[in-house]
Amino acid sequence: MPVAGSPDNLCVGQEVTDIVDMQTTLQEAQRNRFDFVVIPLSRTPAPDLTDAAAHTPSHRLPPYEFIPMAQSDLALESKMWTSAVCGTVSSWIRPDCPHPAYRDRSIVALQRELQWASHLSEYATICPCPELPCANYARIMMPLLLSPLSTQLWVRIPLSVPPVTEGGGDATEGWQLWHQLRMMCGHHSSLCVALEFTDIYGDDDACLDKWLAEPVRAVIIPTDIFVTNAKGFPVLSRRHKAFLMRLFRHRVQVIMRYDRGEEPGSRQMSDEGSMGVSQGQPQGMTMDAYLNYVARLFQSLEPLSQAQMFEQPYLDYLQAPLQPLQDNLESQTYETFEKDPIKYVQYEQALVQCLQDRMAEGKTNPTIMVVGAGRGPLVQASLNALQSAKIEEWTVYAVEKNPNAVITLQSRVRGDPCADWRRVRVVSGDMRQWDTTERADILVSELLGSFGDNELSPECLDGAQRFLKRDGVSIPTRYFSAVAPVSTTKLYNDVKSYKDQEHLETAFVVKLHAFFRISGEEYQPVFEFEHPNWEIPDTHDNKHNRRKTEVSFTARADALLHGFAGYFHCDLYKDVFISILPTHMSEGMFSWFPIFFPLMEPITIKQGDTIRGHFWRLDDAHKVWYEWCVSSPQPSPLHNPGGRSYFIGK
């Protein structure tokens, strides 16, 4: 049964190389606590690859005969084929082999074995590792990918391919093999990876990190990759272990394979973490020892925090950004955001500091205006701050345009357990249109979106600052947006699945999970706004809130650029802030997820390339929108010109 965990369980399978009877094979695997088996699809031997045979015309070779490993589909009930068996295509198959006869035989065998796998409706089929170039391989795979499939297609990809000759040349990243195949297969979402652990060449973990952005469905761990610890037990090297722990969070399955080429446990970890041959270490380790180790690793994962538990349903789930100016939010949406354990604590702290500073300047009897009050959490934070600052004479306004939220505010004035609510003055109306002779000492708002200004905080606060005293304070005082180039196969495929231009030109809110940050720089700032802004021209246009920015990044590894992740940082007051920047994350805060700006076509990036992006914030009388494009290392189309696909209504 699966290894129990929280919130997910881990399924572990065993790869077997030869079977006599399917029922016996499955029963033995279950006794050994494996959840599924991986079996060869065929017994057909590889053709002779001697020089003479390699150049024999295909029609002179003996006829190809497919010999299934399982005698027939009747060997198991269909539910067992679909839930407990994965098939693996013969490793000798090389559709892009330079030898014509071998290549032709490989193409025939690949097609036949995949037909058999589809007939069995196996849970998944593991296809052989491609070689460069892999044009024939892609040509065989595409018809299958374009037809209804009854099995998942996983391609066996090693972490790295060692040099052809010892001491000669460099190792090849397995990612390069995968990248060419998926490009030739049109980024098809049904093509996935079974990632095989091999020795890791080089010290830069970017070669591992990039796999977190790929559709890795299983990890194949051969027993000869294990090392032996001081007590004689099999363990993974530090880098393999850390990488596997990260993959666990991506719901991979594990496939254990006993390799007879090197006795399990025959390598040991040195003090520095390198690998070498041990002397006198226990030999013949049972598979149970390896399974126990993997299970213990999985169960040692840190429990998810409250914020992480909240985020689980939203991982890599595309959401259209909220438009609270154009639309009235629903009660459920308000309730979700009000559960944030960090945001309102930070607002309260900022208010306390601001009130204390103003009191020190002799400014008493403060007037606080909460604009965009919603159902009142910022009003409550204001009341708490007044109490903490020991201020008894005060005035608090709650301004809200949503008539449904106003009902909630009025109800709290009448009956909230906090008696100070009785003194709150509720105003029903748009902050940009409300008129009053009262002037505020502190203007409090929470109009931020995932990209800072994408819920039109600048436009709203420009309209509301007319009733702020000239020496008054806006909370927040400053915020800026930022971007970083990312690779994220999952999100690109999800956006592409809509099969229209509109979604490829829409910025989506998403909790990024399966992604790779391509650059060494965590982010580059894009648009910045400060409040109050007393330099707004005395006109009715919005030109002062338009922006244009160019950002530049250096790629830390070969990768595929799918778009840009967007973030924001907000200074509430002095050193009190809220942020979703990777480097300044407000831990535990879940009110905002990053935003994703997709590219219509992914761009292949080489290590050291300069990635140059361009972003605009534009507007007209009715809407605000973003435009974006890439100019280096190769140009992309301008996305969303004129706000044709995505905009924020005023």
Side-chain angles (χ1 to χ4, degrees):
M1 61 183 296
V3 180
S6 178
D8 304 307
N9 295 330
L10 174 68
C11 289
V12 183
Q14 180 182 18
E15 184 170 0
V16 295
T17 56
D18 193 17
I19 61 172
V20 177
D21 174 77
M22 280 300 303
Q23 291 282 1
T24 303
T25 300
L26 269 180
Q27 289 169 3
E28 183 177 349
Q30 290 169 353
R31 280 197 302 271
N32 292 329
R33 298 180 297 141
F34 289 102
D35 303 296
F36 61 95
V37 294
V38 179
I39 65 166
L41 287 166
S42 172
R43 298 179 186 271
T44 304
D48 186 4
L49 193 54
T50 62
D51 287 342
H55 293 88
T56 301
S58 300
H59 64 273
R60 294 184 185 175
L61 289 175
Y64 171 75
E65 180 184 3
F66 173 65
I67 308 172
M69 181 64 72
Q71 293 181 350
S72 83
D73 52 357
L74 298 177
L76 294 174
E77 294 182 0
S78 59
K79 66 178 181 180
M80 296 304 294
W81 286 115
T82 58
S83 63
V85 179
C86 292
T88 180
V89 174
S90 299
S91 59
W92 61 262
I93 291 177
R94 298 174 57 195
D96 294 280
C97 176
H99 303 298
Y102 197 98
R103 178 178 64 241
D104 293 346
R105 176 56 55 89
S106 294
I107 290 173
V108 171
L110 178 59
Q111 291 173 320
R112 185 66 186 91
E113 291 193 24
L114 289 175
Q115 289 171 1
W116 177 243
S118 182
H119 172 72
L120 295 176
S121 298
E122 294 173 322
Y123 175 70
T125 300
I126 302 177
C127 302
C129 178
E131 53 189 324
L132 301 179
C134 54
N136 283 320
Y137 199 145
R139 186 183 65 81
I140 300 302
M141 298 294 282
M142 278 307 293
L144 291 167
L145 293 169
L146 295 174
S147 62
L149 274 175
S150 57
T151 180
Q152 301 180 62
L153 291 181
W154 300 347
V155 182
R156 187 188 299 262
I157 303 289
L159 278 178
S160 58
V161 180
V164 177
T165 58
E166 187 174 349
D170 297 324
T172 301
E173 273 192 86
W175 183 87
Q176 300 290 352
L177 308 177
W178 160 248
H179 177 57
Q180 184 171 121
L181 180 63
R182 61 98 171 268
M183 292 288 284
M184 289 184 170
C185 290
H187 309 273
H188 202 285
S189 59
S190 295
L191 193 65
C192 301
V193 175
L195 187 61
E196 183 166 349
F197 274 18
T198 62
D199 287 340
I200 303 171
Y201 294 88
D203 299 324
D204 189 351
D205 279 345
C207 66
L208 304 177
D209 295 342
K210 69 174 69 176
W211 283 112
L212 302 178
E214 304 296 354
V216 177
R217 296 292 179 263
V219 177
I220 301 171
I221 308 180
T223 54
D224 68 1
I225 203 67
F226 283 82
V227 296
T228 305
N229 66 10
K231 296 182 179 180
F233 291 102
V235 296
L236 291 173
S237 71
R238 292 187 182 94
R239 293 179 74 190
H240 284 105
K241 173 185 172 182
F243 183 44
L244 182 60
M245 296 285 280
R246 296 178 70 190
L247 287 169
F248 282 153
R249 291 297 191 195
H250 291 255
R251 300 177 180 176
V252 299
Q253 300 175 70
V254 171
I255 298 171
M256 305 294 299
R257 186 183 74 221
Y258 182 91
D259 273 359
R260 302 179 187 277
E262 181 174 348
E263 190 71 23
S266 64
R267 299 197 288 180
Q268 67 177 0
M269 182 77 74
S270 71
D271 292 339
E272 292 77 24
S274 60
M275 291 178 292
V277 178
S278 67
Q279 300 296 325
Q281 295 294 333
Q283 303 294 307
M285 199 75 66
T286 65
M287 184 62 84
D288 195 52
Y290 301 97
L291 180 59
N292 286 339
Y293 174 77
V294 171
R296 286 197 305 272
L297 275 189
F298 181 73
Q299 291 174 330
S300 70
L301 288 172
E302 288 289 331
L304 298 183
S305 66
Q306 178 185 354
Q308 289 172 324
M309 289 295 292
F310 173 84
E311 293 165 355
Q312 285 298 298
Y314 303 101
L315 298 181
D316 292 327
Y317 178 74
L318 298 172
Q319 303 175 74
L322 294 175
Q323 299 214 26
L325 266 188
Q326 181 175 284
D327 307 319
N328 288 326
L329 300 184
E330 298 174 347
S331 177
Q332 185 177 8
T333 304
Y334 283 122
E335 182 178 347
T336 298
F337 292 133
E338 289 165 7
K339 291 178 180 177
D340 192 303
I342 303 300
K343 175 172 62 177
Y344 300 111
V345 172
Q346 293 299 96
Y347 265 93
E348 184 176 329
Q349 183 179 342
L351 279 158
V352 170
Q353 286 193 27
C354 183
L355 288 167
Q356 290 173 340
D357 287 349
R358 294 183 72 81
M359 287 173 61
E361 296 170 0
K363 298 170 183 175
T364 57
N365 304 334
T367 295
I368 299 175
M369 291 185 180
V370 180
V371 291
R375 302 198 311 178
L378 285 181
V379 177
Q380 186 64 60
S382 301
L383 298 177
N384 293 344
L386 288 164
Q387 189 174 36
S388 297
K390 296 181 171 54
I391 298 174
E392 296 182 357
E393 295 299 322
W394 49 262
T395 303
V396 172
Y397 285 86
V399 184
E400 175 55 49
K401 76 169 186 64
N402 183 347
N404 301 307
V406 169
I407 292 174
T408 305
L409 291 170
Q410 292 169 338
S411 174
R412 296 190 72 172
V413 169
R414 291 191 300 269
D416 193 275
C418 174
D420 285 342
W421 269 91
R422 310 295 178 271
R423 297 168 58 185
V424 174
R425 304 178 186 182
V426 176
V427 176
S428 178
D430 191 319
M431 70 184 79
R432 297 169 296 176
Q433 299 164 2
W434 177 50
D435 194 17
T436 178
T437 57
E438 188 81 60
R439 292 296 177 261
D441 294 278
I442 305 174
L443 190 66
V444 184
S445 65
E446 193 280 274
L447 306 168
L448 301 169
S450 294
F451 204 49
D453 59 85
N454 64 300
E455 292 184 10
L456 305 195
S457 179
E459 285 74 15
C460 291
L461 293 182
D462 284 353
Q465 75 175 31
R466 68 185 184 279
F467 39 77
L468 180 66
K469 293 178 181 178
R470 272 287 174 168
D471 65 347
V473 175
S474 171
I475 297 179
T477 60
R478 168 184 172 268
Y479 45 89
F480 67 87
S481 53
V483 295
V486 294
S487 179
T488 169
T489 301
K490 168 73 164 59
L491 295 187
Y492 174 73
N493 283 336
D494 286 352
V495 174
K496 189 180 67 168
S497 69
Y498 288 100
K499 299 180 180 179
D500 61 25
Q501 175 181 271
E502 178 181 345
H503 287 84
L504 287 165
E505 293 189 326
T506 295
F508 290 94
V509 172
V510 60
K511 177 56 183 176
L512 293 165
H513 182 58
F515 78 105
F516 170 58
R517 192 174 291 110
I518 298 174
S519 68
E521 306 95 329
E522 294 279 359
Y523 63 86
Q524 292 285 341
V526 183
F527 308 135
E528 181 175 339
F529 297 88
E530 293 187 5
H531 301 287
N533 179 8
W534 299 117
E535 298 179 0
I536 297 175
D538 189 19
T539 61
H540 295 290
D541 63 38
N542 192 43
K543 291 180 180 178
H544 61 283
N545 284 325
R546 297 174 187 172
R547 299 285 190 274
K548 193 278 177 187
T549 303
E550 177 182 306
V551 291
S552 182
F553 302 88
T554 301
R556 62 189 175 112
D558 293 357
L560 189 62
L561 175 64
H562 290 109
F564 291 85
Y567 310 92
F568 81 89
H569 177 93
C570 173
D571 293 322
L572 295 175
Y573 181 76
K574 292 187 174 179
D575 61 346
V576 183
F577 68 88
I578 52 177
S579 180
I580 62 170
L581 288 178
T583 54
H584 293 75
M585 179 72 68
S586 298
E587 290 297 332
M589 186 175 72
F590 54 70
S591 286
W592 295 276
F593 295 150
I595 203 165
F596 175 58
F597 292 91
L599 294 179
M600 293 182 187
E601 290 294 335
I603 297 174
T604 298
I605 303 294
K606 293 293 185 182
Q607 183 178 11
D609 276 353
T610 296
I611 303 170
R612 187 166 290 111
H614 305 264
F615 289 82
W616 293 262
R617 186 185 196 269
L618 303 169
D619 80 305
D620 61 21
H622 305 289
K623 63 183 183 292
V624 174
W625 70 91
Y626 301 110
E627 298 177 11
W628 63 95
C629 70
V630 173
S631 62
S632 176
Q634 66 184 59
S636 75
L638 178 67
H639 292 64
N640 198 37
R644 66 183 177 187
S645 298
Y646 160 65
F647 60 84
I648 307 105
K650 291 183 178 180

